[in-house]
Amino acid sequence: MIRDFIYLQKSDRKVILTLLVVFVSVFTMVFLTGGDGIVTTSQPKDSIKSRTSKSYNYSSYTPKKVERFTFDPNTADSTQLLRLGLQPWQVRNIYKYRAAGGIYRKPLDFAKLYGLTVKQYRELEPYIRISSDYLPASTLVNDRNGYTRKEPKDSTTYQRPVKIKETEHLVLNTADTISLITIPGIGPYYARKIVQYGNRLGGYVSVDQLDEIDDFPTEAKKYLVISNPSPKKLNVNQLSLNELKRHPYINFYMAKTITDYRRLHGSIHSLQELRLLKDFSPEVIKRLTPYVAY
């Protein structure tokens, strides 16, 4: 009797199965979308339209132009700090630090500012001026007569170099790190980078080669000139693969191409012989020519 009661015809079973599939699909869609994708017939059309056509307006932020000028982090006000490109929350942290008795005694102390990147600090470093009023009192020594004098020259106090004027220039290949830091925008970091990269190249033949240094301040190039360049040349017929690839303009594949060409065809008399090879485009050959000998 129970079997006869629950027995359904084939067509009825198909209808019930279809309804179950539809019900499970609708339930799954509601569960995944949270009901946002379902619109009931009882909901007013105006409300649906207003919801679908709703636009979100965000206040536009126009960043201020970053300026560069000398400043003392111990006395600079919020307006000056914002003009330097610092964020408002960084300015608040500076004020809190100073209110708690904190003092910036040397430029490197400013690098501890939370959120300040290495690139930002390198750009600001040449413009930081720490007033002597904020130096430790131990830098003053009393003499017998009761007068005060500064410590000898071997004191750890760092004296900022005097920057050169716009009409003055330095010869790039002969300038050392001490003279390079007198260029506006150049601090000890970039001065070392300039000298190190020049040594790797074998000497500069163009001021534009400074752009090959990461994040180099391009405005500093106008203070540098090239005078009678005589770069160190690489003999491409004698140097080994490892010696060739040490040059910034020659990678491993280029060095291997040169050594393979020498092995198969003999000595190289001009880089133009390599112009048909994929690693030696006209631009590469032009850049490498001043540094090559045969």
Side-chain angles (χ1 to χ4, degrees):
M1 293 180 62
I2 296 175
R3 182 178 180 183
D4 293 339
F5 179 75
I6 64 175
Y7 176 76
L8 298 174
Q9 295 182 359
K10 185 176 181 179
S11 60
D12 295 336
R13 291 200 299 272
K14 289 182 178 180
V15 173
I16 294 175
L17 182 60
T18 302
L19 292 174
L20 286 174
V21 171
V22 173
F23 176 77
V24 172
S25 300
V26 172
F27 179 78
T28 303
M29 183 175 64
V30 172
F31 177 76
L32 294 178
T33 63
D36 291 340
I38 306 301
V39 179
T40 60
T41 56
S42 60
Q43 188 175 10
K45 293 183 179 180
D46 294 340
S47 63
I48 298 174
K49 182 178 180 180
S50 62
R51 185 179 65 178
T52 56
S53 63
K54 183 178 180 180
S55 61
Y56 298 90
N57 297 322
Y58 297 92
S59 59
S60 59
Y61 171 71
T62 303
K64 296 182 178 179
K65 182 180 179 180
V66 177
E67 302 178 33
R68 289 290 177 260
F69 51 86
T70 58
F71 72 100
D72 187 340
N74 291 302
T75 58
D77 57 24
S78 59
T79 303
Q80 292 175 316
L81 295 173
L82 290 173
R83 285 168 55 199
L84 290 167
L86 298 179
Q87 298 298 320
W89 55 272
Q90 291 178 309
V91 176
R92 288 195 295 270
N93 287 340
I94 293 174
Y95 270 71
K96 290 179 181 178
Y97 177 75
R98 297 193 311 207
I103 296 175
Y104 298 98
R105 300 188 184 277
K106 56 183 181 296
L108 193 59
D109 289 343
F110 193 70
K112 300 176 183 179
L113 177 62
Y114 180 77
L116 190 68
T117 64
V118 175
K119 179 181 179 180
Q120 289 175 320
Y121 175 72
R122 288 171 182 168
E123 293 177 352
L124 293 173
E125 183 186 19
Y127 301 95
I128 299 176
R129 301 289 188 272
I130 305 296
S131 172
S132 59
D133 294 337
Y134 294 94
L135 296 176
S138 59
T139 57
L140 300 177
V141 181
N142 292 326
D143 62 10
R144 297 179 180 178
N145 299 323
Y147 297 99
T148 59
R149 60 181 177 88
K150 294 184 178 180
E151 279 190 305
K153 293 183 179 180
D154 60 352
S155 171
T156 57
T157 303
Y158 178 71
Q159 300 294 331
R160 282 285 171 181
V162 178
K163 298 296 183 178
I164 63 177
K165 301 177 182 179
E166 292 188 1
T167 56
E168 298 178 306
H169 299 86
L170 298 177
V171 178
L172 180 56
N173 284 317
T174 58
D176 56 13
T177 55
I178 297 177
S179 59
L180 286 171
I181 59 177
T182 62
I183 298 175
I186 299 295
Y189 173 82
Y190 282 116
R192 290 194 301 269
K193 285 292 184 181
I194 292 172
V195 174
Q196 291 171 359
Y197 192 61
N199 292 335
R200 290 183 60 201
L201 285 171
Y204 293 96
V205 295
S206 172
V207 175
D208 291 332
Q209 290 177 288
L210 295 172
D211 294 330
E212 298 165 12
I213 300 175
D214 292 338
D215 301 324
F216 185 82
T218 56
E219 65 275 5
K221 294 194 301 181
K222 63 184 179 182
Y223 297 94
L224 295 164
V225 294
I226 298 292
S227 177
N228 299 323
S230 56
K232 181 180 179 181
K233 296 183 180 292
L234 306 172
N235 193 316
V236 293
N237 291 317
Q238 296 179 359
L239 298 179
S240 65
L241 184 149
N242 288 330
E243 291 172 327
L244 287 170
K245 70 183 183 67
R246 291 173 186 170
H247 196 275
Y249 292 165
I250 302 178
N251 58 33
F252 171 81
Y253 300 102
M254 295 170 64
K256 190 174 187 304
T257 298
I258 292 173
T259 54
D260 289 345
Y261 187 91
R262 287 185 340 213
R263 178 171 52 83
L264 296 174
H265 304 282
S267 298
I268 299 173
H269 300 90
S270 172
L271 288 180
Q272 294 299 326
E273 298 177 19
L274 309 175
R275 68 184 184 279
L276 298 180
L277 303 176
K278 64 177 183 179
D279 291 321
F280 288 87
S281 64
E283 294 78 10
V284 172
I285 292 176
K286 181 180 179 181
R287 184 173 64 170
L288 192 56
T289 297
Y291 298 98
V292 173
Y294 309 98

